[in-house]
Amino acid sequence: QVQLVESGGGLVQAGGSVRLSCVASGIMFRRNNMGWYRQTPGNQRELVADIYVSGTTNYADSVKGRFTISRDNAKNTVYLQMNSLKPEDTAVYYCNANRRQFDGSRLDYWGQGTQVTVSS
């Protein structure tokens, strides 16, 4: 029922740009915070950026000034614009949706991920 589908990943040279998209369905998009996470082999999944229901954004220090997260509520879509890419940005990028439930618990949904590879 709930689906988060990422797109836009691929191979890019260092210094280049990529825009990731995530289309959500099966959720009340406007009532969910959205985020982008990334993971490399042998490492934990880490937060890259998130954007709250209010539109407020948050970024990992490693991507500040280079990445921009945005959302289009009319299209149920969240974006991650990635500029000035570095080889260390290479990872599988995952889309996340989360909200607080009535009982106080947090409910998270995840996309299947899209590979971004930055060559040096």
Side-chain angles (χ1 to χ4, degrees):
Q1 183 63 220
V2 176
Q3 279 195 303
L4 302 177
V5 181
E6 302 100 332
S7 62
L11 178 64
V12 63
Q13 291 192 100
S17 298
V18 169
R19 189 178 78 157
L20 304 183
S21 299
C22 171
V23 180
S25 60
I27 61 169
M28 187 69 74
F29 188 82
R30 287 178 174 82
R31 298 305 303 161
N32 280 260
N33 305 306
M34 302 297 298
W36 288 97
Y37 291 70
R38 66 187 181 188
Q39 187 171 28
T40 55
N43 296 105
Q44 291 186 254
R45 191 172 298 183
E46 64 176 7
L47 175 68
V48 176
D50 49 20
I51 182 166
Y52 308 111
V53 171
S54 65
T56 299
T57 58
N58 175 62
Y59 298 91
D61 287 341
S62 60
V63 307
K64 285 181 180 176
R66 299 189 298 122
F67 292 9
T68 303
I69 188 170
S70 61
R71 64 191 293 163
D72 186 337
N73 289 337
K75 295 181 178 179
N76 287 176
T77 302
V78 62
Y79 304 95
L80 185 67
Q81 178 67 47
M82 304 189 293
N83 299 326
S84 302
L85 283 162
K86 305 174 180 179
E88 50 262 47
D89 294 319
T90 295
V92 177
Y93 284 72
Y94 296 90
C95 181
N96 168 268
N98 66 86
R99 68 178 189 274
R100 194 69 61 180
Q101 297 183 281
F102 291 120
D103 65 0
S105 63
R106 177 174 145 162
L107 179 64
D108 285 81
Y109 294 105
W110 297 92
Q112 70 174 32
T114 185
Q115 176 72 43
V116 174
T117 302
V118 184
S119 63
S120 60

